[in-house]
Amino acid sequence: MSSQSTSPNTEAAILARVIQVGEGELSRGAAEYLLSFRFGEHDVARMNELSELAREGKLTAQEQAELDSYIHVSNLLAVMQSRGRRALNRSPQ
């Protein structure tokens, strides 16, 4: 079972709150930069491997913690990119 929702004070959760507090407008360049963030091939492969192990019920505690870390970072990235998309939708071309 993932611990992602058990602690509201993971590094990713804290940083996500910090990002949301700064409700000022993002510049177009900053928004585009946030939208350029992607996981590298190695990380995508590792997430897929961990996800498969999780589906099979074969994750070790260490692998579960690693998967939780990927989930936390992914959620944070989603928050940041959502903010970037909103800024671009509001800004003139």
Side-chain angles (χ1 to χ4, degrees):
M1 172 186 268
S2 170
S3 64
Q4 80 180 49
S5 62
T6 60
S7 175
N9 289 319
T10 63
E11 292 91 341
I14 293 165
L15 189 52
R17 288 194 304 270
V18 168
I19 290 167
Q20 289 175 335
V21 167
E23 286 298 324
E25 285 295 315
L26 285 176
S27 70
R28 182 168 195 79
E32 289 171 347
Y33 181 66
L34 290 176
L35 291 172
S36 74
F37 290 175
R38 300 281 182 272
F39 285 102
E41 290 180 27
H42 171 79
D43 287 312
V44 171
R46 183 63 176 153
M47 286 186 280
N48 288 336
E49 179 182 352
L50 291 168
S51 295
E52 180 63 27
L53 289 170
R55 281 190 293 277
E56 295 171 356
K58 297 179 180 177
L59 280 179
T60 66
Q62 183 176 354
E63 289 168 331
Q64 181 64 61
E66 184 180 358
L67 181 58
D68 287 346
S69 292
Y70 276 115
I71 291 168
H72 292 155
V73 171
S74 180
N75 289 340
L76 174 60
L77 184 58
V79 169
M80 293 167 51
Q81 290 183 335
S82 175
R83 184 148 184 238
R85 282 188 294 278
R86 284 194 316 265
L88 288 177
N89 287 336
R90 287 191 297 261
S91 74
Q93 297 292 327

